[in-house]
């Protein structure tokens, strides 16, 4: 059987294991509650730490610092330090982060569709959740 990423096409055991490994690698690099949100927030341009924290509702300084470190280690974010008085640190996306464009577009489209599907289901059941 040919390798496929579609859920309705069965995979061979070897292809399934390769697929699981690839998804695991992707989730390791960009998974979690904040990483993709940070990347999206930086799409408008470089930001200082506090600007970034204000643009992402609910993220703590500790979580943001840890996620920025992970994103930098994985090559998605570049940290720039401007020496002077005061020292200014800003974060910007790397060229490599552009490889996530299709992923972000697909997640955004799916998220909007899913929200609408849930809303329609809730209207039918008159049980508001979203």
């Amino acid at each position: 059987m040919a390798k496929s990423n579609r859920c309705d096409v069965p995979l061979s055991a070897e292809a399934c294991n390769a697929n699981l490994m690839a998804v695991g690698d992707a989730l390791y690099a960009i998974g979690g509650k904040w990483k993709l949100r940070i990347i999206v927030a930086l799409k408008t341009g470089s930001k200082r730490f506090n600007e970034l924290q204000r643009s992402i509702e609910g993220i703590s300084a500790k979580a943001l610092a840890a996620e920025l470190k992970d994103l930098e280690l994985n090559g998605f974010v570049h940290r720039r330090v401007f020496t002077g008085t005061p020292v200014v640190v800003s974060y910007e996306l790397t060229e490599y982060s552009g490889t996530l464009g299709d992923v972000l577009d697909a997640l955004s489209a799916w998220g909007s569709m899913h929200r609408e599907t849930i809303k329609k289901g809730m209207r039918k059941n008159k049980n508001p959740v979203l």
Side-chain angles (χ1 to χ4, degrees), residues 29-124:
I30 61 171
K33 185 175 181 178
W34 302 112
K35 285 185 179 92
L36 289 177
R37 293 176 191 199
I38 293 168
I39 290 170
V40 170
L42 287 171
K43 284 179 80 172
T44 59
S46 68
K47 286 185 170 66
R48 293 172 62 179
F49 187 90
N50 287 335
E51 291 176 298
L52 196 50
Q53 187 177 10
R54 280 191 297 271
S55 68
I56 303 169
E57 188 177 323
I59 193 167
S60 69
K62 184 177 178 179
L64 179 57
E67 298 291 13
L68 283 168
K69 249 182 217 174
D70 283 350
L71 289 168
E72 189 176 9
L73 286 172
N74 282 291
F76 297 113
V77 171
H78 179 70
R79 181 178 185 260
R80 287 195 165 199
V81 180
F82 299 95
T83 56
T85 308
V87 174
V88 176
V89 178
S90 70
Y91 297 88
E92 60 188 28
L93 295 177
T94 63
E95 190 175 315
Y96 181 63
S97 68
T99 62
L100 293 171
D102 291 341
V103 173
L104 293 172
D105 291 344
L107 278 172
S108 178
W110 187 86
S112 295
M113 180 276 307
H114 179 65
R115 178 172 287 275
E116 287 305 311
T117 300
I118 296 299
K119 281 182 178 179
K120 287 176 186 172
M122 293 301 122
R123 278 187 224 128
K124 286 180 185 175

